[in-house]
Amino acid sequence: FGIQWVTETALVNSSRELFHLFRQQLYNLETLLQSSCDFGKVSTLHCKADNIRQQCVLFLHYVKVFIFRYLKVQNAESHVPVHPYEALEAQLPSVLIDELHGLLLYIGHLSELPSVNIGAFVNQNQIKLFPPSWHLLHLHLDIHWLVLEILYMLGEKLKQVVYGHQFMNLASDNLTNISLFEEHCETLLCDLISLSLNRYDKSFWNWLNKLLKTLLEKSSDRRRSSMPVIQSRDPLGFSWWIITHVASFYKFDRHGVPDEMRKVESNWNFVEELLKKSISVQGVILEEQLRMYLHCCLTLCDFWEPNIAIVTILWEYYSKNL
């Protein structure tokens, strides 16, 4: 954030100040949205917004690297006198939980972003000069993902000292690294599905959506009632669409590079039940719907492995309805 020299103790000594600077940069990016994107200002706004985003992403990576390389978790049962820096370091995990939770509250849900930001998903700019809305949207995505990585790394660091324990926040209101990780994981998945539903329109994929909504509702009822309710006009079709597209990601490693040697775990049990529900609905099933089911099954066979049960289900349907 403009500081030329950063010591390896900076996060421990000045964690509150650094996160304050982070939120200040985030606010500066939000104010750029109010600037008029005249043709002469496009390049300047792009450079300013990109610089802010890179600073924020770099800071969160710095937090992650600090935890991995430098953070020493003190055993709470030890009664040996400690150096003042070690006392501050012992509180850092709790401070980070507070700050990360506050940061998530500050940026809010992805699904709550204004439509101008959501529209940045489909920016067709060929000269790579993007408006501030594009940078803000992708910074939000960066933040949500990196917060998960930081919380996961805190948990792994604690396992090195004593397995099964959790870091509490300073307010001691039952907010831990594990509870915040699980809550944010579920919220982020719901937000991404909500955004997918908003982008989901008539095309070949018009018939796709059902079990996913049911599964999410069951999960929310069992754990928390505060999760956002996801509505869909075609839950069966959306379920086909999202399971087929998510399956395609398993061909790549974490760096986005195709990995032919990677072992892919199939999800045929879910797909078999989805197919049964799809062909047992009331009323006439249109030919284009059946074509779509078959297309998704063939695509999944290519990603996973051939499945005889799918063929049997389809054959029984055709034999009864021909």
Side-chain angles (χ1 to χ4, degrees):
F1 304 124
I3 301 172
Q4 187 174 6
W5 304 105
V6 181
T7 66
E8 65 183 51
T9 63
L11 189 61
V12 173
N13 292 326
S14 310
S15 53
R16 301 287 189 188
E17 292 82 356
L18 288 172
F19 272 93
H20 175 74
L21 289 171
F22 181 94
R23 289 189 295 272
Q24 194 174 56
Q25 290 295 324
L26 194 55
Y27 174 77
N28 291 339
L29 180 52
E30 292 169 351
T31 58
L32 289 180
L33 268 65
Q34 303 169 11
S35 305
S36 59
C37 283
D38 299 334
F39 182 77
K41 295 181 179 179
V42 170
S43 179
T44 302
L45 288 174
H46 165 79
C47 292
K48 286 183 178 179
D50 182 61
N51 180 260
I52 292 173
R53 180 189 171 199
Q54 295 306 323
Q55 287 190 54
C56 292
V57 170
L58 182 64
F59 170 68
L60 292 179
H61 277 294
Y62 159 70
V63 174
K64 193 171 66 170
V65 171
F66 182 93
I67 294 170
F68 180 76
R69 290 186 180 176
Y70 303 114
L71 180 63
K72 296 179 182 178
V73 179
Q74 307 295 331
N75 193 328
E77 298 178 357
S78 175
H79 301 289
V80 179
V82 296
H83 188 274
Y85 173 81
E86 293 178 327
L88 282 175
E89 186 180 37
Q91 289 189 337
L92 180 62
S94 298
V95 172
L96 288 177
I97 293 171
D98 275 337
E99 291 295 340
L100 293 173
H101 184 235
L103 179 59
L104 293 175
L105 292 176
Y106 180 84
I107 64 175
H109 291 282
L110 279 173
S111 55
E112 295 171 350
L113 281 170
S115 57
V116 63
N117 299 95
I118 302 303
F121 268 126
V122 290
N123 194 305
Q124 301 296 326
N125 196 327
Q126 299 298 318
I127 58 175
K128 305 301 181 184
L129 294 178
F130 301 111
S133 59
W134 186 91
H135 291 283
L136 182 62
L137 169 64
H138 286 81
L139 178 54
H140 275 235
L141 292 170
D142 292 331
I143 292 171
H144 283 291
W145 182 253
L146 285 167
V147 165
L148 284 179
E149 289 195 335
I150 292 170
L151 290 171
Y152 176 80
M153 196 158 289
L154 276 175
E156 291 299 300
K157 181 66 71 167
L158 183 59
K159 286 180 183 178
Q160 298 174 9
V161 179
V162 53
Y163 188 82
H165 283 224
Q166 305 178 41
F167 290 120
M168 298 283 293
N169 68 327
L170 292 177
S172 298
D173 52 3
N174 296 324
L175 184 65
T176 68
N177 59 300
I178 294 179
S179 66
L180 184 56
F181 178 87
E182 292 179 346
E183 178 183 347
H184 185 47
C185 242
E186 186 169 352
T187 302
L188 183 56
L189 284 172
C190 285
D191 282 351
L192 291 173
I193 291 172
S194 295
L195 290 174
S196 299
L197 290 172
N198 291 334
R199 295 299 310 157
Y200 171 61
D201 50 15
K202 296 181 178 180
S203 64
F204 170 77
W205 305 110
N206 191 39
W207 307 107
L208 313 162
N209 243 326
K210 166 87 186 185
L211 271 182
L212 222 51
K213 177 184 175 183
T214 305
L215 291 172
L216 284 169
E217 285 180 343
K218 287 181 179 179
S219 176
S220 300
D221 292 341
R222 184 174 67 251
R223 294 174 58 186
R224 282 184 305 278
S225 60
S226 60
M227 296 302 298
V229 178
I230 300 174
Q231 300 293 338
S232 172
R233 295 186 300 272
D234 181 16
L236 272 172
F238 182 76
S239 295
W240 279 107
W241 177 81
I242 200 166
I243 195 70
T244 305
H245 281 68
V246 168
S248 67
F249 293 135
Y250 284 90
K251 297 190 301 181
F252 304 92
D253 63 19
R254 61 177 299 177
H255 304 292
V257 178
D259 185 359
E260 299 296 335
M261 304 300 295
R262 183 173 184 177
K263 184 179 179 181
V264 178
E265 184 176 351
S266 68
N267 195 21
W268 279 121
N269 289 337
F270 175 85
V271 175
E272 289 169 18
E273 293 301 316
L274 180 60
L275 182 58
K276 291 176 183 178
K277 282 183 175 289
S278 299
I279 62 178
S280 63
V281 295
Q282 297 294 324
V284 178
I285 301 178
L286 301 178
E287 182 181 351
E288 51 261 43
Q289 288 176 289
L290 289 173
R291 286 178 180 271
M292 185 272 293
Y293 301 152
L294 180 59
H295 177 82
C296 289
C297 289
L298 290 174
T299 302
L300 292 172
C301 284
D302 187 46
F303 292 147
W304 300 334
E305 70 278 341
N307 184 284
I308 300 300
I310 292 293
V311 178
T312 305
I313 294 169
L314 288 171
W315 178 256
E316 290 177 353
Y317 173 80
Y318 278 115
S319 62
K320 291 178 182 177
N321 292 276
L322 286 179

